[in-house]
Amino acid sequence: SSEISYLLFCDNFYYYINLNFYIVKKMSNKFEQISLKPGFMKHNGGVMFRNISDSEYEFKSSINENHLNAAGITHGGYLSALVDAGAGTAAHRSANNAPCVTISLDLKFIGASKLGDEIIGNVKILKKTKTLVFLFCELKTNDKIITSASGVWKIIKIKPSELVQGR
């Protein structure tokens, strides 16, 4: 059976309500910085992230001079890293915060962005199994798609005591 959900915004929170009209999940609509620990994405300016629903997520970053290529537009390597970080966080959240690693990431560069642009990433979880997360992602700036991506993430079954500290 299919379930229909509704989104209600009230007092700075999104509430997901199913057809029987009881609250399924409460999520903040505010972005949070996910680049808190030393590493590649923090070094590159950080990524803001938020949950939209159990299968939809959004992230954003602003383009600075370090992100530009010799032509003065955003480097494809930075856009690739941004998709990997944002979509990887979506995979992680959709897998109940289990660690996830990228297995496959296919990107298409459709448009360009420049210095000062805010890049918004939208992620849709297409399917989740016990061990894999399949998703689609688009990057937009100024309401234009600049990158589309599809990817597969592996859900890692690891005990919290086995995680590397500080990363």
Side-chain angles (χ1 to χ4, degrees), residues 76-163:
Y78 177 72
L79 295 174
S80 300
L82 182 59
V83 168
D84 194 33
T89 300
H92 165 72
R93 298 266 176 103
S94 75
N96 298 315
N97 295 321
C100 293
V101 294
T102 312
I103 291 178
S104 167
L105 186 56
D106 180 40
L107 292 109
K108 308 278 190 288
F109 299 105
I110 300 166
S113 59
K114 60 187 183 326
L115 183 64
D117 281 348
E118 182 177 65
I119 306 296
I120 304 287
N122 293 291
V123 180
K124 173 73 174 155
I125 305 298
L126 302 174
K127 182 178 176 90
K128 185 176 69 166
T129 69
K130 289 181 181 179
T131 59
L132 299 172
V133 178
F134 300 82
L135 58 77
F136 178 77
C137 178
E138 284 183 341
L139 295 183
K140 291 182 177 183
T141 189
N142 303 314
D143 289 324
K144 292 193 291 189
I145 298 171
I146 59 169
T147 306
S148 68
S150 60
V152 181
W153 271 256
K154 170 78 172 163
I155 302 169
I156 305 296
K157 303 295 182 199
I158 189 169
K159 297 175 190 153
S161 62
E162 296 173 335
L163 289 172

Side-chain angles (χ1 to χ4, degrees), residues 2-140:
S2 66
E3 185 174 296
I4 299 174
S5 304
Y6 296 94
L7 174 66
L8 171 69
F9 180 74
C10 181
D11 296 327
N12 243 5
F13 288 93
Y14 286 109
Y15 293 88
Y16 289 89
I17 303 171
N18 76 4
L19 196 54
N20 294 326
F21 297 102
Y22 61 87
I23 295 174
V24 174
K25 187 172 251 186
K26 173 183 168 182
M27 296 180 174
S28 172
N29 69 325
K30 296 183 180 176
F31 281 94
E32 62 178 294
Q33 178 60 254
I34 59 170
S35 305
L36 299 174
K37 297 176 184 171
F40 184 72
M41 286 313 294
K42 184 173 184 179
H43 173 75
N44 277 308
V47 181
M48 303 292 287
F49 188 90
R50 69 178 174 178
N51 295 29
I52 302 297
S53 72
D54 287 336
S55 63
E56 295 178 281
Y57 302 86
E58 189 172 54
F59 59 93
K60 65 182 180 177
S61 186
S62 294
I63 301 304
N64 65 45
E65 279 191 41
N66 293 333
H67 303 142
L68 302 179
N69 63 19
I73 59 175
T74 308
H75 195 288
Y78 177 72
L79 295 174
S80 300
L82 182 59
V83 168
D84 194 33
T89 300
H92 165 72
R93 298 266 176 103
S94 75
N96 298 315
N97 295 321
C100 293
V101 294
T102 312
I103 291 178
S104 167
L105 186 56
D106 180 40
L107 292 109
K108 308 278 190 288
F109 299 105
I110 300 166
S113 59
K114 60 187 183 326
L115 183 64
D117 281 348
E118 182 177 65
I119 306 296
I120 304 287
N122 293 291
V123 180
K124 173 73 174 155
I125 305 298
L126 302 174
K127 182 178 176 90
K128 185 176 69 166
T129 69
K130 289 181 181 179
T131 59
L132 299 172
V133 178
F134 300 82
L135 58 77
F136 178 77
C137 178
E138 284 183 341
L139 295 183
K140 291 182 177 183

